[in-house]
């Protein structure tokens, strides 16, 4: 009888030295979250198995450095389309004084997020199931990562941010092109000071690319 072997487990990336610098005293919480993502996150389809070996550099650190762009240590933040909690959960770990809402339309993802919040002991986080179009909440900061092309994302985010509030959209190498394409929409919805900024320069490689703009 033929003997079959189980497929080799995908190994998580070792915790890089830069993680201690970026997360500081919150590192142990980040390590716990990384373990959840690498196991249940993959099992439940919130993270692809191929992402596990690059979990720290591509996901956790990429999100964590965005905290340096938020100068509201006691403010409110909504993470639009939170998914597995990137960047919302990571920013909640980094900014314990900020009240964070994780907005996610899918029930199974909301259950996963609620479990993470409980296991990580995050008292500053709530999970809200819903679509941006249907939510009336307004916060000082709106974040998003891999949610929608910038023109559509900008329209959704502007419905959720307070007057004068800030939107941070984590993007990739085409951020400048996306921003140029979104310019007519940004003007129409009253966004101001839209620009591409880099977070984490000198801390992570590559630095995180973010499109930042403000509501009137």
């Amino acid at each position: 009888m033929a003997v079959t072997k189980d497929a080799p487990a995908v190994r998580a990336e070792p915790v890089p030295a830069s993680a201690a610098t970026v997360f500081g005293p919150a590192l142990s919480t980040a390590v716990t979250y990384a373990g959840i993502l690498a196991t249940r996150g993959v099992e439940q389809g919130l993270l692809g198995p191929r992402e596990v070996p690059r979990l720290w550099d591509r996901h956790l650190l990429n999100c964590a450095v965005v905290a340096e762009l938020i100068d509201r240590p006691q403010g409110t933040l909504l993470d639009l389309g939170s998914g597995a909690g990137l960047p919302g959960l990571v920013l909640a770990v980094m900014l314990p004084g900020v009240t964070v809402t994780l907005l996610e339309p899918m029930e199974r993802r909301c259950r996963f997020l609620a479990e993470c919040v409980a296991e990580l002991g995050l008292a500053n986080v709530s999970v809200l199931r819903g679509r941006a179009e249907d939510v009336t909440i307004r916060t000082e900061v709106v974040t998003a990562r891999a949610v929608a092309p910038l023109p559509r994302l900008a329209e959704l985010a502007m419905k959720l941010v307070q007057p004068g509030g800030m939107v941070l959209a984590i993007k990739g190498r085409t951020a400048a092109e996306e921003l140029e394409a979104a310019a007519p929409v940004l003007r129409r919805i009253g966004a101001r000071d839209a620009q591409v900024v880099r977070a984490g320069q000198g801390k992570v490689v590559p630095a995180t690319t973010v499109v930042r703009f403000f509501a009137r």
Side-chain angles (χ1 to χ4, degrees):
M1 183 173 63
V3 177
T4 59
K5 295 183 179 180
D6 292 335
V10 179
R11 293 185 178 181
E13 173 191 6
V15 180
S18 56
T21 300
V22 172
F23 280 99
L27 179 60
S28 62
T29 304
V31 170
T32 300
Y33 180 44
I36 295 171
L37 287 174
T39 53
R40 277 174 284 159
V42 173
E43 292 164 5
Q44 297 182 31
L46 279 81
L47 189 77
R50 294 182 180 180
E51 298 303 309
V52 174
R54 50 190 180 182
L55 184 56
W56 282 95
D57 285 341
R58 182 164 181 163
H59 298 285
L60 297 174
L61 292 171
N62 177 266
C63 292
V65 295
V66 175
E68 70 184 37
L69 301 177
I70 300 171
D71 58 358
R72 298 165 171 82
Q74 305 296 324
T76 57
L77 181 151
L78 183 142
D79 188 36
L80 173 57
S82 200
L86 301 165
L89 268 177
V90 176
L91 292 174
V93 170
M94 295 291 294
L95 302 166
V98 172
T99 300
V100 176
T101 300
L102 307 178
L103 178 63
E104 169 56 48
M106 295 184 65
E107 182 178 358
R108 66 180 180 86
R109 292 180 178 177
C110 286
R111 286 199 302 267
F112 175 83
L113 290 171
E115 291 171 1
C116 288
V117 170
E119 291 183 39
L120 298 177
L122 298 175
N124 61 325
V125 185
S126 61
V127 179
L128 176 62
R129 185 184 177 194
R131 300 168 67 246
E133 298 90 336
D134 304 324
V135 172
T136 58
I137 188 172
R138 290 285 186 116
T139 64
E140 293 173 294
V141 179
V142 172
T143 58
R145 183 177 189 253
V147 172
L150 189 57
R152 176 58 176 159
L153 174 61
E155 290 191 291
L156 294 174
M158 286 291 279
K159 296 177 181 179
L160 301 169
V161 70
Q162 294 177 4
M166 177 173 63
V167 177
L168 299 172
I170 299 177
K171 290 291 182 178
R173 289 174 293 181
T174 62
E177 289 82 355
E178 282 198 63
L179 180 55
E180 183 177 357
V185 172
L186 292 170
R187 285 194 296 268
R188 175 170 56 79
I189 63 178
R192 61 179 180 83
D193 299 333
Q195 60 180 310
V196 176
V197 296
R198 301 290 194 277
Q201 296 193 83
K203 298 178 183 177
V204 297
V205 179
T208 302
T209 303
V210 180
V211 174
R212 180 179 65 189
F213 56 90
F214 298 85
R216 287 178 183 168

